[in-house]
Amino acid sequence: AEAEEASRRAEDAAARLTDAAVRRLLVRGRPLDPGDQAYLKKVRDEYLAWPLQPDPRRGLVVRAEGLRGVAELFIETSRYSDALECLHAEAAAREQLARHPPPAPLDRQLDVFRRICFCCERNNDIPGAIAAARSALAVAHKLPGDDGQRCFVIAQLTGRLGCLLAMDGRAAEA
């Protein structure tokens, strides 16, 4: 019980720190300075090393959500390479989370692959964007619920994948 309470306090503190950093840095409206970058990388490293014991599922949720917050800040400040590091780690945490019952919602997995695709494209890494779009499409095919909504998402992703393939000079495949 004490370990769980300490873990819960640490989760809350980390979330507050990340939220405060996001608000402070975005409100300033100027690029990240080296100190800001170092701080965010330290926060990222804390989430990457987030303990998965005593509750692996909760640890993975904290890790994934924390990395998501840091990635969003990097995206907002056009630091796509830094965002990609966070997003790939978030994707790995979400894939691990999918193996811990109850199953994690697929919409978060879909969202992380969409954001990876976006950042890769902004970084002119079209092959990386294509790979992320294909991963997003694979997740979209597994979405539960309304067939109309699922078809809409699949159509969107298929169109995006076609555009990326065309950008990569693969017109026939597009």
Side-chain angles (χ1 to χ4, degrees):
E2 287 177 19
E4 283 191 25
E5 181 57 31
S7 176
R8 204 175 344 272
R9 282 194 310 270
E11 289 170 22
D12 291 343
R16 281 194 308 275
L17 282 174
T18 303
D19 290 345
V22 168
R23 280 193 304 276
R24 180 177 66 90
L25 296 173
L26 287 179
V27 167
R28 283 189 337 192
R30 65 176 196 250
L32 299 178
D33 64 34
D36 297 331
Q37 293 172 33
Y39 174 75
L40 286 175
K41 288 180 180 183
K42 183 177 179 185
V43 172
R44 177 203 59 205
D45 292 344
E46 290 293 322
Y47 282 119
L48 287 172
W50 196 265
L52 300 181
Q53 298 301 327
D55 183 351
R57 180 169 178 65
R58 191 163 80 206
L60 286 166
V61 168
V62 170
R63 183 179 290 175
E65 291 300 318
L67 289 165
R68 176 186 184 88
V70 175
E72 286 302 315
L73 181 56
F74 282 132
I75 290 169
E76 287 292 323
T77 56
S78 301
R79 298 194 51 83
Y80 301 113
S81 294
D82 290 323
L84 280 167
E85 288 180 43
C86 294
L87 292 170
H88 283 296
E90 178 191 351
R94 293 202 184 281
E95 286 173 18
Q96 284 182 297
L97 196 54
R99 293 190 293 270
H100 287 275
L106 292 173
D107 59 329
R108 291 293 186 139
Q109 274 187 300
L110 178 64
D111 184 55
V112 74
F113 287 124
R114 282 179 158 171
R115 288 182 292 129
I116 290 171
C117 182
F118 172 82
C119 289
C120 284
E121 190 174 354
R122 292 294 182 272
N123 254 5
N124 292 316
D125 176 9
I126 302 306
I130 290 169
R134 289 186 193 278
S135 295
L137 198 52
V139 171
H141 280 285
K142 298 176 193 172
L143 287 173
D146 181 10
D147 285 336
Q149 179 66 24
R150 182 176 42 250
C151 288
F152 177 75
V153 170
I154 290 170
Q156 263 187 331
L157 290 169
T158 302
R160 186 78 214 124
L161 178 58
C163 290
L164 291 165
L165 289 166
M167 289 169 61
D168 201 38
R170 297 156 63 179
E173 197 176 345

